[in-house]
Amino acid sequence: MSAEPRSELPRLDRSLQSAPKAPVRIVHLGLGAFHRSHQAWYTQHAGDAADWGIAAFTGRSPKAADTLAEQDGLFTLVERSATGDSYEVIGSIVEAVDAADVGRLAELVAAPGTAIVTLTITEAAYAVDGSAGSVGSVGSSSTPIARLVAALAARRDAGSGPIAVVSCDNLADNGSVARHAVRALAEARDPALAVWIDGNVSFVSTSVDRITPRTTAADLASVADNCGYRDEAAVVAEPFHNWILSGDFPAGRPQWEDAGAVFVDNLEPYENRKLWLLNGAHSILAYAGQVRGHATVAEALSDAVCRDAVESFWDEAARHLTDDALAIPEYRQALLERFGNARIAHMLSQIAADGTAKLRMRALPVLAAERAAGRSGDAAARMISAWMTYVATTAEFQDPLAGDIRHALTLDGEARCTALLALLSPELAQDRDLVGQLRGLQDAMTATIARS
C-alpha cells in the first residue's frame, strides 16, 4: 500500500512499460471505458500485440482523450471479482485523439498500415436520417458515421486498399447495420464512394460482453494505493469477457483468439443470446429497478419483483434460442452470478440510456416471436412497460428521441401509451390489444411500487 498522498504519486506513463509502442494498425471510434476493458484488453493479450497499436478517438467529449494522452495511452484495468481486485496496465492504445480532430482521423484511416476500424459509438449512433444525409467534406464532424465515411473517402483517394470495419455495439447483426449506415451516407456524398466501399470495406459483426461500470473516485484511489502511481483513466471490469466475431479481415487482424475471442460463420444465435438474455435483463433491471428505488444491478436483482421479471423474460427468450451449443441454462446461471456481484457497482442509470434504440433490439424481437407463436409475450411487454413507467417518473433521462418522449408524456392514458409505443414501432402502436396489455402491466407495476 502506498503511504504517499495520491497527489504526490507519479503519474502512470510509459516508463512502467518495458515494451515499445506498437504501430497504429487499428483505429477506434468511441473511446470509453468499455473499449478499454474489452477490445484494448483483447489486443494487448494477442500473441502478436507488438504489431497492433490502437489510435482511439473519443465520442461526445474530448475528456477521455485528454486524460489518456497525458498518460501516453496507458491505463490500469482493475478486474473486480467477488473476492478481490487485480491490476494490469494496458498499453495497446498508443494514441488518444479528440473526435473533433477529423484531419487526424482521415490521415490514420488512409494510412496503408491501418487494417481495422472498430466502433463503440452506441446503438443510437447508427441511425441515418435526412439531416445526416449530406456528409460533406473530410472536415465534416456531425456524427461518428459521417466522420468514418469521410475518412474512408480519404483512404480511397490514397489508394490504400481494403479495410475492415468492426462494430462492437449492442445491435443485432451490427456489421450489417454499420454497412447500411455507412453506405447510405456515402451514397449521399458520392455514389462512386459507395461503390468503392462495396468492393473494399468488409463489415464484421460481433457479440461483445464485459460488464464495465463507471469508474469512481474510490476506484482511482484504490489504484493509487495498490499500484503506487496516479491513473486518472483507470477502468474497472468484471473478470468475465467474451467476444464472438463473424466476417472477413482483408488487411489482417491481431490474434485475438489467443485472448479467447471466437470466430464463427453464423453469429446470429450468439448475438441473440447476448442481446436478449444479458442486455434484455439489464434493461428490465434498469427501468423496473430504478422505479422501485434501486441504484445498481446487484440491488435490483435482489428485489423479488425485478428478479421475477428477468426470469420470466428469460423463459420467453429461451424458447427462441434452441441451439444446444448456446448452453442456455448454464448461461442464465452465469448471468445471475455476474449480476449478483455486489462489488461491481453497475449503475442502472448508465444502462437506462438510449432506451428507444435498445428496446427495439432487446424487447421487440422476443415479443414478436412470442406473439407469432400464439402466446402473449407478457414478459417482453413488461420490459417495455417498465421503460414507459421509468420515463414518466424520471426527471432526467438520456435518449436520442428525448423530445418526442417528453411530448408523448404530455398525453394521458391510452394516448400516452400509444405515443410512446410508436417511438419503438409505429406498426405495433396500431395494435389496440397490445396497448391495453401494456397499460395493464404499467398499472401492475404501479401497484407493486405502492406496496413496497
Side-chain angles (χ1 to χ4, degrees), residues 45-119:
H45 287 266
D48 55 353
D51 300 327
W52 292 91
I54 301 170
F57 287 75
T58 55
R60 296 186 178 100
S61 165
K63 183 178 179 181
D66 294 342
T67 303
L68 269 177
E70 290 183 25
Q71 299 178 180
D72 208 8
L74 296 178
F75 63 94
T76 307
L77 179 65
V78 184
E79 286 195 356
R80 180 156 294 164
S81 72
T83 57
D85 293 346
S86 63
Y87 303 84
E88 178 185 11
V89 175
I90 305 295
S92 55
I93 296 177
V94 298
E95 186 173 345
V97 192
D98 181 357
D101 192 347
V102 292
R104 183 57 177 157
L105 175 62
E107 180 183 4
L108 287 170
V109 172
T114 300
I116 299 167
V117 177
T118 54
L119 309 173

Side-chain angles (χ1 to χ4, degrees), residues 231-274:
D231 181 357
E232 302 301 327
V235 173
V236 177
E238 63 173 339
F240 179 92
H241 51 83
N242 184 251
W243 198 7
I244 303 173
L245 305 94
S246 181
D248 299 323
F249 291 83
R253 63 168 178 81
Q255 295 169 203
W256 285 319
E257 60 269 32
D258 296 340
V262 177
F263 294 84
V264 300
D265 293 328
N266 183 15
L267 183 68
E268 184 178 5
Y270 296 93
E271 65 185 1
N272 286 342
R273 180 184 68 175
K274 195 257 180 170

Side-chain angles (χ1 to χ4, degrees), residues 109-140:
V109 172
T114 300
I116 299 167
V117 177
T118 54
L119 309 173
T120 52
I121 56 177
T122 77
E123 295 92 329
Y126 293 87
V128 177
D129 58 30
S131 63
S134 179
V135 180
S137 67
V138 170
S140 172

Side-chain angles (χ1 to χ4, degrees), residues 381 384-389 391-392 404-405 407-426 428-443:
I384 299 170
S385 71
W387 167 74
M388 291 178 171
T389 305
V391 295
D404 296 312
I405 292 170
H407 174 72
L409 294 176
T410 64
L411 307 174
D412 294 316
E414 181 176 322
R416 172 187 287 190
C417 187
T418 300
L420 288 172
L421 182 57
L423 300 180
L424 305 180
S425 169
L428 289 178
Q430 304 304 311
D431 189 323
R432 309 304 344 136
D433 290 340
L434 178 57
V435 171
Q437 181 183 6
L438 289 169
R439 292 191 66 195
L441 290 167
Q442 285 184 273
D443 290 342

Side-chain angles (χ1 to χ4, degrees), residues 324-379:
D324 290 341
L326 298 176
I328 296 302
E330 294 82 0
Y331 190 81
R332 287 175 62 161
Q333 183 57 40
L335 286 178
L336 290 175
E337 293 172 4
R338 294 167 64 194
F339 290 173
N341 179 3
R343 297 194 69 246
I344 290 285
H346 201 178
M347 304 306 293
L348 299 177
S349 57
Q350 177 186 6
I351 299 167
D354 301 340
T356 54
K358 292 175 178 176
L359 291 178
R360 293 188 196 109
M361 298 296 109
R362 303 176 184 188
L364 296 192
V366 175
L367 178 63
E370 284 292 279
R371 298 181 88 206
R375 294 184 288 267
S376 69
D378 251 0

